Amino acid sequence: MYLTAIARTARYRTGGPSLIGPRAHALHSIALVRVGLFGLLLWVTGCATLPRNAVPPELTAAAVIPHMPDVRAPAGRPSPAMERDLAQSFKQESREDFPPGPDGVIRYPHLGLSGGGANGAFGAGFLKGWTATGTRPVFKIVTGVSTGALMAPFAFLGPDYDDELRDFYTTTTTRDIFAVGSILVQLLRADSLASTAPLKTLIERHIDAEFLRRIAAAHERGRRLYIATVNLDSQQFVVWNMGLIATSNRPEAVDLFRQVMLASASIPIIFPPVFFEVEADGRRYDEMHVDGAVAAGVFFSGGVFRFASVREGQGLSRGREDFFVIHNGQLVEPPSPTPRSLGGIATRTLAASGRSGAVGDLFRIYAVALRERAGYQWVTIGQDVQLGGAEFFDPVKMAELYEVGYRAALAGPVWSVRPPGLQADQPPP
C-alpha cells in the first residue's frame, strides 16, 4: 500500500503518467529505477534524524494530553475513562434520537468509515444516497481512520453535512492535499516525501469553533465520535474521543481536533507525522502519530470498551446494536498481468496485503457483532468499478465514484451481512 503511494508520489512530482491511471503498466523505466532505489536511499539516510523531545520509554504509559487526560486510550484493553464516558452517554441520550421500538427494544446504529484516500468519494456518495432513501439512522457511534477520519465528523453531524462531503470528494485536487518538492532533498533532510500543508489548510477551513460547538452538542445528546491514529513511539493504535475534546472548553480544543484528523490521514513516509504535546511525570514531551490505517483500516471500539456491557450496566438490558461499515475500497480488483519488475511486483504484493488486512478488519468487527448479538452490515466498491484517475485526487474520477456510491445506496442499500468468504448458508448474527 505505502510503496504504491511512494511510487505515485514520484510520478506526480515528475508530471508523468500516474500509477493509478489507465497507463499504469506503461511506466517509463526511470520511475521503476526510483522505486527500486527507494530502499537504498532509506538505508543511506537512515542514520540522519531530526531533533525531537520524545517521551522516555518508561513514561510512555503515563503520557496524557495536558488538561485533557481522558480524551484518548490505547486500543486492545478496556479504558476506565472511555467506559465512564460511554456510560454517561446513555444518561444523555434522548428518545428522539434512540426511541424504543414496538417491542421496547432500543436500536443503536453504529457507523465505521474506512480508509481509502480519494476512494472516500464512494463513501460520501453512499451517505448522500442513504439520506435520500429516508432510512439513514442517527448513529450512536461513528468511527473513522485515514480518509474515514476526514469524513467521520461530517457523517457524525448528519445529513446537513452531506453537501460538504460531496464538495470535498468531487472538487478536491492533489494540490489541495499535499505538495512534493525534491524527493532526494526530502529524504536527506526531512521525515517525509511530501508536505501536508495544503491538507492542514483544508481542515482548518472546515473545522472551526462553530463546527466544534455542533460536535459538542451531539456529544452532549449521548452520541460518540471516535477517530484513531497510530503512535509510532509505542506502536499502538490510539482511539480519540473527539466529542470529549469538543466539550472540553479548552482554548486549544480546535487545534487538537484538527491535529487528530490530520494525523489519522498522514500516511507515513509519504506525509510527515503529526506531533502531539503530552505530559508525563510533570514534564512536557512529544509523541509521533501517523495514519490510523497502519494498524486497522476500519474499527468499532478498538477494545477500549464493551458497548453491551456498559449499556447493561446502565440498566438498559433491552437494547440491540447494529454495525454498519462503509469500506472505501475494493476487496477484489479486476485481474491484470503483473509487470515483471521490482516496482510492479512490490506494488501488487503490497496491494494484495492491504486487501487481506481489510478482510481481517471486517472479520474482527463481525466477531464483536457475534459476541454482542448485534446486527452486522457492510458495503464495498464493486469489482466492476475502475478505480484511479489521472492523479492522486482526480476530481473527474472522484465525481464518478461519488455517483457509484450514491446509486449503491439508492438501490436499498443492499448490505452484505457476513464477512467476505463466509458460507452463504451460515445465519447472520
Side-chain angles (χ1 to χ4, degrees), residues 142 148-158 207 211 215 225 227 257 261:
V142 175
L150 300 179
M151 299 171 63
F154 301 94
F156 179 70
L157 291 180
I207 309 301
F211 190 92
I215 295 288
L225 171 64
I227 287 176
F257 197 101
M261 291 179 65

Side-chain angles (χ1 to χ4, degrees), residues 112-133:
L113 297 166
S114 83
N119 294 337
F122 171 81
F126 191 91
L127 287 169
K128 179 69 171 179
W130 197 356
T131 298
T133 68

Side-chain angles (χ1 to χ4, degrees), residues 205-285:
R205 190 183 307 156
H206 290 278
I207 309 301
D208 56 16
E210 174 58 22
F211 190 92
L212 243 65
R213 188 191 68 76
R214 292 174 181 266
I215 295 288
H219 183 91
E220 290 170 347
R221 285 175 64 92
R223 301 173 58 226
R224 295 297 182 260
L225 171 64
Y226 303 114
I227 287 176
T229 64
V230 168
N231 178 348
L232 283 186
D233 296 324
S234 66
Q235 301 178 57
Q236 289 179 313
F237 189 72
V238 178
V239 179
W240 297 78
N241 189 335
M242 304 300 282
L244 204 57
I245 295 174
T247 58
S248 69
N249 294 319
R250 295 291 308 175
E252 64 271 28
V254 174
D255 285 340
L256 179 60
F257 197 101
R258 293 166 174 169
Q259 270 191 295
V260 176
M261 291 179 65
L262 180 63
S264 188
S266 294
I267 304 171
I269 302 175
I270 306 296
F271 299 153
V274 174
F275 292 91
F276 292 90
E277 184 180 55
V278 297
E279 188 173 59
D281 196 27
R283 297 186 61 184
R284 296 292 176 95
Y285 301 97

Side-chain angles (χ1 to χ4, degrees), residues 97-342:
D97 289 337
F98 306 105
D103 56 359
V105 174
I106 301 175
R107 304 299 291 251
Y108 289 105
H110 309 307
L111 176 66
L113 297 166
S114 83
N119 294 337
F122 171 81
F126 191 91
L127 287 169
K128 179 69 171 179
W130 197 356
T131 298
T133 68
T135 62
R136 176 176 166 181
V138 174
F139 298 109
K140 174 72 173 180
I141 291 175
V142 175
T143 70
V145 294
S146 201
T147 201
L150 300 179
M151 299 171 63
F154 301 94
F156 179 70
L157 291 180
D160 288 347
Y161 285 83
D162 284 352
D163 289 342
E164 287 201 38
L165 281 177
R166 179 198 61 205
D167 292 345
F168 178 84
Y169 282 103
T170 60
T171 65
T172 300
T173 67
T174 301
R175 288 172 176 79
D176 296 319
I177 302 299
F178 66 90
V180 182
S182 165
I183 290 181
L184 181 58
V185 171
Q186 290 294 102
L187 283 170
L188 292 173
R189 297 183 180 177
D191 50 11
S192 66
L193 297 177
S195 165
T196 49
L199 177 58
K200 185 173 183 290
T201 299
L202 194 60
I203 292 173
E204 290 172 352
R205 190 183 307 156
H206 290 278
I207 309 301
D208 56 16
E210 174 58 22
F211 190 92
L212 243 65
R213 188 191 68 76
R214 292 174 181 266
I215 295 288
H219 183 91
E220 290 170 347
R221 285 175 64 92
R223 301 173 58 226
R224 295 297 182 260
L225 171 64
Y226 303 114
I227 287 176
T229 64
V230 168
N231 178 348
L232 283 186
D233 296 324
S234 66
Q235 301 178 57
Q236 289 179 313
F237 189 72
V238 178
V239 179
W240 297 78
N241 189 335
M242 304 300 282
L244 204 57
I245 295 174
T247 58
S248 69
N249 294 319
R250 295 291 308 175
E252 64 271 28
V254 174
D255 285 340
L256 179 60
F257 197 101
R258 293 166 174 169
Q259 270 191 295
V260 176
M261 291 179 65
L262 180 63
S264 188
S266 294
I267 304 171
I269 302 175
I270 306 296
F271 299 153
V274 174
F275 292 91
F276 292 90
E277 184 180 55
V278 297
E279 188 173 59
D281 196 27
R283 297 186 61 184
R284 296 292 176 95
Y285 301 97
D286 64 56
E287 286 179 351
M288 181 188 290
H289 287 244
V290 297
D291 193 333
V294 168
V298 64
F299 76 104
F300 166 54
S301 71
V304 298
F305 57 77
R306 182 172 174 178
F307 187 89
S309 293
V310 175
R311 170 177 55 76
E312 291 167 3
Q314 298 305 301
L316 298 172
S317 59
R318 303 199 71 186
R320 176 177 166 85
E321 290 73 64
D322 286 302
F323 297 156
F324 296 93
V325 176
I326 299 177
H327 177 240
N328 295 301
Q330 286 176 318
L331 295 180
V332 179
E333 182 180 341
S336 61
T338 301
R340 188 177 177 180
S341 66
L342 177 62

Side-chain angles (χ1 to χ4, degrees), residues 68-101:
M68 290 184 271
D70 296 334
V71 297
R72 64 183 194 161
R77 60 179 181 271
S79 162
M82 288 286 193
E83 290 186 334
R84 285 194 303 271
D85 178 72
L86 184 61
Q88 178 67 16
S89 78
F90 293 104
K91 300 173 183 177
Q92 296 169 320
E93 68 187 32
S94 70
R95 290 208 166 194
E96 179 184 351
D97 289 337
F98 306 105

Side-chain angles (χ1 to χ4, degrees), residues 410-426:
L410 282 181
V414 178
W415 299 95
S416 296
V417 296
R418 303 171 187 84
L422 209 59
Q423 293 296 324
D425 60 354
Q426 184 168 342

